[in-house]
PDB file of all heavy atoms in Angstrom:
ATOM      1  N   VAL U 351     220.189 166.109 159.118  1.00 91.00           N
ATOM      2  CA  VAL U 351     219.659 165.043 159.979  1.00 91.00           C
ATOM      3  C   VAL U 351     218.344 164.554 159.360  1.00 91.00           C
ATOM      4  O   VAL U 351     217.476 165.294 159.095  1.00 91.00           O
ATOM      5  CB  VAL U 351     219.411 165.571 161.400  1.00 91.00           C
ATOM      6  CG1 VAL U 351     218.711 164.531 162.245  1.00 91.00           C
ATOM      7  CG2 VAL U 351     220.741 165.986 162.010  1.00 91.00           C
ATOM      8  N   THR U 352     218.271 163.237 159.165  1.00 90.00           N
ATOM      9  CA  THR U 352     217.066 162.653 158.524  1.00 90.00           C
ATOM     10  C   THR U 352     216.393 161.604 159.446  1.00 90.00           C
ATOM     11  O   THR U 352     215.254 161.142 159.131  1.00 90.00           O
ATOM     12  CB  THR U 352     217.417 161.998 157.201  1.00 90.00           C
ATOM     13  OG1 THR U 352     218.419 160.953 157.440  1.00 90.00           O
ATOM     14  CG2 THR U 352     217.940 162.976 156.251  1.00 90.00           C
ATOM     15  N   ASP U 353     217.053 161.176 160.562  1.00 92.00           N
ATOM     16  CA  ASP U 353     216.489 160.146 161.389  1.00 92.00           C
ATOM     17  C   ASP U 353     215.683 160.706 162.566  1.00 92.00           C
ATOM     18  O   ASP U 353     215.218 159.963 163.392  1.00 92.00           O
ATOM     19  CB  ASP U 353     217.589 159.249 161.925  1.00 92.00           C
ATOM     20  CG  ASP U 353     218.674 159.976 162.750  1.00 92.00           C
ATOM     21  OD1 ASP U 353     218.592 161.220 162.731  1.00 92.00           O
ATOM     22  OD2 ASP U 353     219.474 159.306 163.360  1.00 92.00           O
ATOM     23  N   ARG U 354     215.471 161.999 162.632  1.00 93.00           N
ATOM     24  CA  ARG U 354     214.668 162.643 163.658  1.00 93.00           C
ATOM     25  C   ARG U 354     214.259 164.021 163.172  1.00 93.00           C
ATOM     26  O   ARG U 354     214.848 164.585 162.204  1.00 93.00           O
ATOM     27  CB  ARG U 354     215.426 162.747 164.990  1.00 93.00           C
ATOM     28  CG  ARG U 354     216.654 163.610 164.933  1.00 93.00           C
ATOM     29  CD  ARG U 354     217.353 163.664 166.318  1.00 93.00           C
ATOM     30  NE  ARG U 354     218.673 164.250 166.237  1.00 93.00           N
ATOM     31  CZ  ARG U 354     218.923 165.580 166.282  1.00 93.00           C
ATOM     32  NH1 ARG U 354     217.932 166.418 166.424  1.00 93.00           N
ATOM     33  NH2 ARG U 354     220.183 166.005 166.193  1.00 93.00           N
ATOM     34  N   THR U 355     213.251 164.595 163.813  1.00 94.00           N
ATOM     35  CA  THR U 355     212.794 165.927 163.388  1.00 94.00           C
ATOM     36  C   THR U 355     212.878 166.984 164.463  1.00 94.00           C
ATOM     37  O   THR U 355     212.655 168.196 164.201  1.00 94.00           O
ATOM     38  CB  THR U 355     211.298 165.830 162.928  1.00 94.00           C
ATOM     39  OG1 THR U 355     210.494 165.413 164.049  1.00 94.00           O
ATOM     40  CG2 THR U 355     211.184 164.891 161.761  1.00 94.00           C
ATOM     41  N   ASP U 356     213.196 166.591 165.692  1.00 95.00           N
ATOM     42  CA  ASP U 356     213.185 167.570 166.810  1.00 95.00           C
ATOM     43  C   ASP U 356     214.544 168.238 166.940  1.00 95.00           C
ATOM     44  O   ASP U 356     215.609 167.613 166.797  1.00 95.00           O
ATOM     45  CB  ASP U 356     212.846 166.825 168.107  1.00 95.00           C
ATOM     46  CG  ASP U 356     213.806 165.808 168.446  1.00 95.00           C
ATOM     47  OD1 ASP U 356     214.035 164.891 167.591  1.00 95.00           O
ATOM     48  OD2 ASP U 356     214.346 165.745 169.580  1.00 95.00           O
ATOM     49  N   VAL U 357     214.537 169.523 167.240  1.00 94.00           N
ATOM     50  CA  VAL U 357     215.753 170.316 167.445  1.00 94.00           C
ATOM     51  C   VAL U 357     216.337 170.021 168.788  1.00 94.00           C
ATOM     52  O   VAL U 357     215.667 169.978 169.835  1.00 94.00           O
ATOM     53  CB  VAL U 357     215.404 171.817 167.328  1.00 94.00           C
ATOM     54  CG1 VAL U 357     216.695 172.674 167.637  1.00 94.00           C
ATOM     55  CG2 VAL U 357     214.896 172.136 165.940  1.00 94.00           C
ATOM     56  N   ARG U 358     217.708 169.805 168.814  1.00 93.00           N
ATOM     57  CA  ARG U 358     218.413 169.533 170.023  1.00 93.00           C
ATOM     58  C   ARG U 358     219.605 170.477 170.182  1.00 93.00           C
ATOM     59  O   ARG U 358     220.040 171.063 169.198  1.00 93.00           O
ATOM     60  CB  ARG U 358     218.935 168.076 170.054  1.00 93.00           C
ATOM     61  CG  ARG U 358     217.838 167.016 169.948  1.00 93.00           C
ATOM     62  CD  ARG U 358     218.373 165.579 169.858  1.00 93.00           C
ATOM     63  NE  ARG U 358     217.234 164.647 169.636  1.00 93.00           N
ATOM     64  CZ  ARG U 358     217.420 163.344 169.477  1.00 93.00           C
ATOM     65  NH1 ARG U 358     218.665 162.857 169.475  1.00 93.00           N
ATOM     66  NH2 ARG U 358     216.416 162.566 169.282  1.00 93.00           N
ATOM     67  N   ASP U 359     220.026 170.607 171.412  1.00 91.00           N
ATOM     68  CA  ASP U 359     221.178 171.494 171.723  1.00 91.00           C
ATOM     69  C   ASP U 359     222.387 171.020 170.829  1.00 91.00           C
ATOM     70  O   ASP U 359     222.710 169.852 170.845  1.00 91.00           O
ATOM     71  CB  ASP U 359     221.550 171.433 173.200  1.00 91.00           C
ATOM     72  CG  ASP U 359     222.519 172.492 173.616  1.00 91.00           C
ATOM     73  OD1 ASP U 359     222.604 173.501 172.898  1.00 91.00           O
ATOM     74  OD2 ASP U 359     223.155 172.320 174.641  1.00 91.00           O
ATOM     75  N   GLY U 360     223.053 171.972 170.205  1.00 87.00           N
ATOM     76  CA  GLY U 360     224.140 171.684 169.332  1.00 87.00           C
ATOM     77  C   GLY U 360     223.844 171.517 167.890  1.00 87.00           C
ATOM     78  O   GLY U 360     224.717 171.490 167.048  1.00 87.00           O
ATOM     79  N   ASP U 361     222.491 171.357 167.593  1.00 89.00           N
ATOM     80  CA  ASP U 361     222.107 171.249 166.188  1.00 89.00           C
ATOM     81  C   ASP U 361     222.284 172.542 165.431  1.00 89.00           C
ATOM     82  O   ASP U 361     222.200 173.658 166.009  1.00 89.00           O
ATOM     83  CB  ASP U 361     220.626 170.907 166.108  1.00 89.00           C
ATOM     84  CG  ASP U 361     220.363 169.447 166.413  1.00 89.00           C
ATOM     85  OD1 ASP U 361     221.300 168.615 166.393  1.00 89.00           O
ATOM     86  OD2 ASP U 361     219.190 169.074 166.643  1.00 89.00           O
ATOM     87  N   THR U 362     222.564 172.422 164.161  1.00 92.00           N
ATOM     88  CA  THR U 362     222.548 173.656 163.293  1.00 92.00           C
ATOM     89  C   THR U 362     221.278 173.593 162.518  1.00 92.00           C
ATOM     90  O   THR U 362     220.988 172.619 161.844  1.00 92.00           O
ATOM     91  CB  THR U 362     223.767 173.599 162.330  1.00 92.00           C
ATOM     92  OG1 THR U 362     224.980 173.698 163.105  1.00 92.00           O
ATOM     93  CG2 THR U 362     223.716 174.776 161.359  1.00 92.00           C
ATOM     94  N   ILE U 363     220.457 174.643 162.605  1.00 94.00           N
ATOM     95  CA  ILE U 363     219.133 174.646 161.962  1.00 94.00           C
ATOM     96  C   ILE U 363     219.093 175.762 160.916  1.00 94.00           C
ATOM     97  O   ILE U 363     219.796 176.759 160.996  1.00 94.00           O
ATOM     98  CB  ILE U 363     218.027 174.790 162.977  1.00 94.00           C
ATOM     99  CG1 ILE U 363     218.111 176.135 163.686  1.00 94.00           C
ATOM    100  CG2 ILE U 363     218.038 173.662 163.972  1.00 94.00           C
ATOM    101  CD1 ILE U 363     216.908 176.472 164.583  1.00 94.00           C
ATOM    102  N   ASN U 364     218.230 175.494 159.958  1.00 95.00           N
ATOM    103  CA  ASN U 364     217.840 176.502 158.952  1.00 95.00           C
ATOM    104  C   ASN U 364     216.455 176.995 159.337  1.00 95.00           C
ATOM    105  O   ASN U 364     215.573 176.148 159.533  1.00 95.00           O
ATOM    106  CB  ASN U 364     217.883 175.897 157.532  1.00 95.00           C
ATOM    107  CG  ASN U 364     217.536 176.935 156.530  1.00 95.00           C
ATOM    108  OD1 ASN U 364     216.356 177.287 156.283  1.00 95.00           O
ATOM    109  ND2 ASN U 364     218.523 177.457 155.831  1.00 95.00           N
ATOM    110  N   LEU U 365     216.290 178.265 159.459  1.00 96.00           N
ATOM    111  CA  LEU U 365     215.035 178.849 159.937  1.00 96.00           C
ATOM    112  C   LEU U 365     214.617 180.125 159.315  1.00 96.00           C
ATOM    113  O   LEU U 365     215.449 180.856 158.776  1.00 96.00           O
ATOM    114  CB  LEU U 365     215.082 179.012 161.431  1.00 96.00           C
ATOM    115  CG  LEU U 365     215.934 180.162 162.005  1.00 96.00           C
ATOM    116  CD1 LEU U 365     215.538 180.483 163.483  1.00 96.00           C
ATOM    117  CD2 LEU U 365     217.425 179.865 161.929  1.00 96.00           C
ATOM    118  N   ASP U 366     213.302 180.401 159.337  1.00 96.00           N
ATOM    119  CA  ASP U 366     212.764 181.695 158.964  1.00 96.00           C
ATOM    120  C   ASP U 366     212.237 182.315 160.241  1.00 96.00           C
ATOM    121  O   ASP U 366     211.702 181.620 161.068  1.00 96.00           O
ATOM    122  CB  ASP U 366     211.577 181.545 157.995  1.00 96.00           C
ATOM    123  CG  ASP U 366     211.966 180.789 156.695  1.00 96.00           C
ATOM    124  OD1 ASP U 366     213.173 180.812 156.344  1.00 96.00           O
ATOM    125  OD2 ASP U 366     211.090 180.164 156.110  1.00 96.00           O
ATOM    126  N   TYR U 367     212.387 183.615 160.353  1.00 96.00           N
ATOM    127  CA  TYR U 367     211.796 184.281 161.526  1.00 96.00           C
ATOM    128  C   TYR U 367     211.398 185.702 161.226  1.00 96.00           C
ATOM    129  O   TYR U 367     211.891 186.309 160.316  1.00 96.00           O
ATOM    130  CB  TYR U 367     212.830 184.267 162.714  1.00 96.00           C
ATOM    131  CG  TYR U 367     214.138 184.984 162.459  1.00 96.00           C
ATOM    132  CD1 TYR U 367     214.246 186.386 162.553  1.00 96.00           C
ATOM    133  CD2 TYR U 367     215.293 184.287 162.154  1.00 96.00           C
ATOM    134  CE1 TYR U 367     215.424 187.043 162.340  1.00 96.00           C
ATOM    135  CE2 TYR U 367     216.475 184.914 161.917  1.00 96.00           C
ATOM    136  CZ  TYR U 367     216.550 186.272 162.016  1.00 96.00           C
ATOM    137  OH  TYR U 367     217.721 186.911 161.801  1.00 96.00           O
ATOM    138  N   SER U 368     210.396 186.197 162.076  1.00 95.00           N
ATOM    139  CA  SER U 368     209.899 187.483 161.894  1.00 95.00           C
ATOM    140  C   SER U 368     209.658 188.081 163.264  1.00 95.00           C
ATOM    141  O   SER U 368     208.898 187.458 164.049  1.00 95.00           O
ATOM    142  CB  SER U 368     208.602 187.510 161.083  1.00 95.00           C
ATOM    143  OG  SER U 368     208.080 188.806 160.978  1.00 95.00           O
ATOM    144  N   GLY U 369     210.269 189.171 163.621  1.00 91.00           N
ATOM    145  CA  GLY U 369     210.131 189.749 164.963  1.00 91.00           C
ATOM    146  C   GLY U 369     209.206 190.978 164.953  1.00 91.00           C
ATOM    147  O   GLY U 369     209.124 191.718 164.002  1.00 91.00           O
ATOM    148  N   SER U 370     208.507 191.109 166.128  1.00 92.00           N
ATOM    149  CA  SER U 370     207.617 192.271 166.244  1.00 92.00           C
ATOM    150  C   SER U 370     207.526 192.685 167.749  1.00 92.00           C
ATOM    151  O   SER U 370     207.839 191.873 168.648  1.00 92.00           O
ATOM    152  CB  SER U 370     206.227 191.927 165.757  1.00 92.00           C
ATOM    153  OG  SER U 370     205.665 190.887 166.538  1.00 92.00           O
ATOM    154  N   ILE U 371     207.122 193.920 167.965  1.00 91.00           N
ATOM    155  CA  ILE U 371     206.924 194.433 169.281  1.00 91.00           C
ATOM    156  C   ILE U 371     205.488 195.067 169.316  1.00 91.00           C
ATOM    157  O   ILE U 371     205.184 195.922 168.515  1.00 91.00           O
ATOM    158  CB  ILE U 371     207.991 195.534 169.682  1.00 91.00           C
ATOM    159  CG1 ILE U 371     209.348 194.895 169.752  1.00 91.00           C
ATOM    160  CG2 ILE U 371     207.588 196.165 171.032  1.00 91.00           C
ATOM    161  CD1 ILE U 371     210.436 195.887 170.053  1.00 91.00           C
ATOM    162  N   ASP U 372     204.692 194.489 170.187  1.00 90.00           N
ATOM    163  CA  ASP U 372     203.226 194.889 170.213  1.00 90.00           C
ATOM    164  C   ASP U 372     202.577 194.766 168.890  1.00 90.00           C
ATOM    165  O   ASP U 372     201.811 195.617 168.461  1.00 90.00           O
ATOM    166  CB  ASP U 372     203.123 196.353 170.753  1.00 90.00           C
ATOM    167  CG  ASP U 372     203.624 196.477 172.203  1.00 90.00           C
ATOM    168  OD1 ASP U 372     203.515 195.493 172.940  1.00 90.00           O
ATOM    169  OD2 ASP U 372     204.118 197.591 172.555  1.00 90.00           O
ATOM    170  N   GLY U 373     202.971 193.710 168.169  1.00 90.00           N
ATOM    171  CA  GLY U 373     202.354 193.432 166.873  1.00 90.00           C
ATOM    172  C   GLY U 373     202.921 194.209 165.762  1.00 90.00           C
ATOM    173  O   GLY U 373     202.454 194.034 164.573  1.00 90.00           O
ATOM    174  N   VAL U 374     203.902 195.097 165.979  1.00 91.00           N
ATOM    175  CA  VAL U 374     204.501 195.870 164.863  1.00 91.00           C
ATOM    176  C   VAL U 374     205.890 195.364 164.600  1.00 91.00           C
ATOM    177  O   VAL U 374     206.719 195.333 165.449  1.00 91.00           O
ATOM    178  CB  VAL U 374     204.553 197.368 165.279  1.00 91.00           C
ATOM    179  CG1 VAL U 374     205.175 198.191 164.134  1.00 91.00           C
ATOM    180  CG2 VAL U 374     203.130 197.849 165.582  1.00 91.00           C
TER     181      VAL U 374
END
């Protein structure tokens, strides 16, 4: 998608993520 930048329901996104619990 090049005509918008906001994520919408049904979109397929490429993402990076990092999870933590109490900062760990």
